[in-house]
């Protein structure tokens, strides 16, 4: 099919859709990018969508594996979020890393496509991830500069206070829930100035826990989510090992 409008989504678990389970879809997830594609393509029979994002990918991997592949698809719209997995590593040279990000954005912008970038989320509400808040702030300033230099649009995740509600997050506390992904789709479509009919699904209520209950819940979280994540980092493995992109070629959403 000859697509006249072509949206290509790049990134890691954020863009792949992890946290928004849907067994009927490739890799078992839906996510905000799928929702955006559905809205953009609803009244456009010439609209095509590809999603090259794979969970666990770091910024240099995304630049190496996804940017050229996206360029080959001749996109008219690109969304990209890269760097969150790098920020969580023990050591990182953010300035050096963002030089490579800048080169990737330059290549994507040269296609003539509208490029949409994201700032990182302000994790001040998390006792664990708030330790990376300073790194994310530096990353965000560099991202703002790159977006400005290349005329990219910016989805300013850092300022989205609705994500301080834990109902926006999946059980692993690392990825957005279905409600979080639906809300992000609305945010992206707003930046694109595109009308939409997205409704954010009801959030799972987060109960008030006693001190004992909170300790027990945190212990379960460490066992089920945090510990496996740490083990993968120590062994050089990734949650995305063995996975392929959800939609490596343009398709109708």
């Amino acid at each position: 099919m000859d697509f006249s409008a072509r949206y290509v989504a790049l990134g890691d678990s954020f863009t792949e859709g992890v946290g928004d389970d849907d067994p009927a879809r490739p890799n078992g997830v839906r996510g905000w990018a799928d929702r955006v594609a559905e809205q953009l393509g609803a009244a456009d029979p010439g609209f095509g969508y590809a999603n090259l994002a794979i969970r666990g990918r770091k910024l240099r991997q995304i630049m190496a594996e996804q940017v050229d592949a996206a360029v080959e698809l001749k996109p008219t719209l690109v969304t990209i979020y890269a760097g969150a997995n790098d920020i969580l590593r023990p050591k990182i040279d953010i300035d050096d890393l963002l030089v490579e990000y800048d080169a990737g954005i330059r290549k994507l912008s040269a296609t003539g496509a509208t490029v949409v970038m994201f700032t990182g989320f302000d994790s001040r509400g998390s006792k664990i991830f708030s330790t990376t808040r300073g790194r994310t702030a530096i990353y965000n300033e560099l991202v703002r500069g790159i977006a400005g230099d290349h005329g990219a649009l910016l989805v300013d995740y850092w300022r989205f206070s609705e994500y301080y509600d834990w109902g926006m997050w999946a059980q692993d506390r690392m990825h957005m829930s279905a409600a979080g992904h639906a809300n992000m789709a609305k945010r992206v479509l707003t930046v694109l100035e595109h009308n939409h009919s997205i409704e954010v699904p009801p959030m799972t209520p987060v109960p008030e826990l006693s001190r004992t209950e909170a300790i027990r819940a945190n212990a379960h979280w460490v066992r089920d989510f945090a510990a496996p994540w740490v083990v993968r980092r120590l062994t050089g493995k990734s949650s995305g090992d063995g996975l392929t992109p959800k939609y490596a070629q343009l398709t109708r959403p």
Side-chain angles (χ1 to χ4, degrees):
M1 182 175 181
D2 184 18
F3 296 105
S4 56
R6 297 171 297 278
Y7 167 33
V8 183
L10 312 182
D12 53 28
S13 58
F14 173 82
T15 300
E16 186 189 349
V18 175
D20 185 10
D21 296 339
D22 186 342
R25 294 181 184 243
N27 296 356
V29 294
R30 187 182 183 188
W32 65 264
D34 283 16
R35 286 176 162 84
V36 167
E38 290 157 12
Q39 295 291 314
L40 294 177
D44 184 355
F47 183 85
Y49 168 55
N51 189 321
L52 309 183
I54 295 180
R55 65 196 71 179
R57 292 299 194 258
K58 292 188 286 186
L59 189 145
R60 289 188 173 96
Q61 291 174 306
I62 293 169
M63 297 301 103
E65 299 171 5
Q66 299 178 24
V67 170
D68 286 343
V71 171
E72 290 180 5
L73 294 173
K74 298 180 173 59
T76 56
L77 170 66
V78 174
T79 59
I80 180 168
Y81 182 19
N85 288 315
D86 300 86
I87 288 172
L88 293 174
R89 293 305 189 275
K91 294 182 180 180
I92 176 178
D93 186 333
I94 296 177
D95 296 279
D96 186 55
L97 196 65
L98 270 287
V99 169
E100 296 195 32
Y101 202 10
D102 179 82
I105 299 300
R106 182 183 300 110
K107 186 176 291 187
L108 293 169
S109 298
T111 66
T114 298
V115 177
V116 180
M117 301 177 67
F118 296 77
T119 58
F121 176 63
D122 183 357
S123 58
R124 66 184 182 188
S126 169
K127 292 181 180 179
I128 301 295
F129 298 111
S130 61
T131 57
T132 65
R133 193 181 182 210
R135 285 182 174 184
T136 303
I138 295 170
Y139 166 89
N140 286 350
E141 283 305 300
L142 294 171
V143 164
R144 294 179 200 280
I146 293 170
D149 289 344
H150 299 291
L153 300 177
L154 189 67
V155 178
D156 203 349
Y157 196 8
W158 179 266
R159 298 183 180 181
F160 297 168
S161 60
E162 65 266 31
Y163 286 93
Y164 298 144
D165 187 326
W166 280 107
M168 286 285 187
W169 297 89
Q171 284 187 323
D172 65 6
R173 308 181 189 178
M174 302 177 191
H175 299 100
M176 295 182 295
S177 63
H181 277 282
N183 185 76
M184 186 59 67
K186 292 178 65 173
R187 287 288 197 170
V188 172
L189 288 162
T190 297
V191 168
L192 292 172
E193 299 182 346
H194 192 282
N195 294 331
H196 62 81
S197 58
I198 294 176
E199 293 186 7
V200 177
M203 291 184 286
T204 301
V206 179
E208 291 287 336
L209 301 178
S210 67
R211 184 172 183 275
T212 299
E213 290 171 333
I215 291 173
R216 186 180 299 117
N218 288 334
H220 288 163
W221 175 76
V222 169
R223 181 195 65 199
D224 295 340
F225 300 109
W229 182 84
V230 171
V231 169
R232 287 197 299 272
R233 298 302 174 272
L234 293 175
T235 59
K237 296 181 179 180
S238 169
S239 56
D241 288 346
L243 289 182
T244 56
K246 292 169 65 176
Y247 304 109
Q249 299 298 323
L250 293 166
T251 186
R252 282 286 300 163

